[in-house]
Every structure is written in C-alpha cells, then in structure tokens.
Amino acid sequence: MSDQTVEQLTTTVVSSLKRASVWWLVRAAISIIIGIAVLAWPDKSINVLAFLAGLAFVFLGVVRLIEGIFAKDASGASKTANIILGALVLVLGIVVMRNPALTAVIIVVVIGISWILEGIATVAGAASGQGNWVTVVLGLLVAIAGVLVVIFADGALIAYAWLIGLTLIVVGIIGIITFFVARSALKRV
C-alpha cells in the first residue's frame, strides 16, 4: 500500500469518525435528557414506556399477520404460526395500549413471582447438596426480594423507573466523556 493510499484512508477514517462523534454527543445528550425526565416524572414515564411497548406489539402483530397471509414461499405451518402469533401479539399490544399502567404493574408482579420461584429453587438446590449456606442465604434473599416486589409492586415500579433514569444519565455522561476523548484523539491524527 502506498503512502498516498494510507494518507487518503486515514483522512477518510478520521473524517468519518468526526461526523460520527457528533452523533455520539447528540445521543448522549438525549440520553441524559430522557433520564432526567424519567427521574422527574417516573409515573408518567412508566405509562409512556408501556404505551410504546404496546404500540410496538401492535406493529409486530400486524407484520406477522401480513407475513402469514401474504408470504409466498412459506409453508402452511409457517403461515399458520405467523397468523396465530400475529393475532396474539396484536391483541396483546391493544390491551397494553389501553391499560399501560396496569400492564406495567403486572410485569413487575410477574418479575416478583419469578424471583420468589428462583429463590425457592435455589434453596431447594442447596438442600439437595448443590450448594452451601451461602447459596441458602442467597436463595432466601432473592425470595424475600420477590415477596417485597409483589407486595409493593407500585413502589417497585417506581424504583425500576428510577433505575432506568439513572442508567440513562450515566450512559449519557459516559457518551459525552467518550465524545471529548475521541475528539481530542482525532485532533492529534
């Protein structure tokens, strides 16, 4: 490879990275703004996220239905499966969009129940010789956390919203730091 080719390649790569880094900064800023909004209005954020999830389900359901009805190269079983799945996902999406808050609470309760079952399974595994006292303690803590999540589902939902908001802010801050580090490195090239 000639020096001129390497120079052109380097210039192209650096130029592309500079353009991409601006979008990285924009994404980071949006992440921070959304994170702050979620922290400021966790209840409304939960409803918006649940509604958007419902909207996504509706879209996916429609796509599956179309695929099941109009796919020319699919087998009969594949078409049937797509139609059934599409109809179920579409109905689920409509239910979620009509009741976003209730749907969010149900999801948190399901998470809590899964933690209870996981904790019980962990303790049972330890009792049958697949662990030690640390495993038992861990299983009990997971089961207790699951019970608390089920009992205080609304509070757990707010806690999840806060966790999501804080995560978005941290990811945004890391993105901004990455932007400035990359920008500094690109100036030296």
Side-chain angles (χ1 to χ4, degrees), residues 34-63:
I34 293 172
I36 291 169
V38 169
L39 291 180
W41 302 286
D43 289 337
K44 290 181 174 128
S45 300
I46 292 164
N47 287 338
V48 168
L49 290 173
F51 182 84
L52 291 174
L55 190 61
F57 287 154
V58 167
F59 176 75
L60 291 172
V62 169
V63 168

Side-chain angles (χ1 to χ4, degrees), residues 13-35:
V13 169
V14 169
S15 175
S16 295
L17 287 173
K18 283 181 181 178
R19 282 193 307 274
S21 68
V22 170
W23 288 111
W24 190 269
L25 181 63
V26 169
R27 284 182 23 217
I30 290 171
S31 179
I32 291 172
I33 291 167
I34 293 172

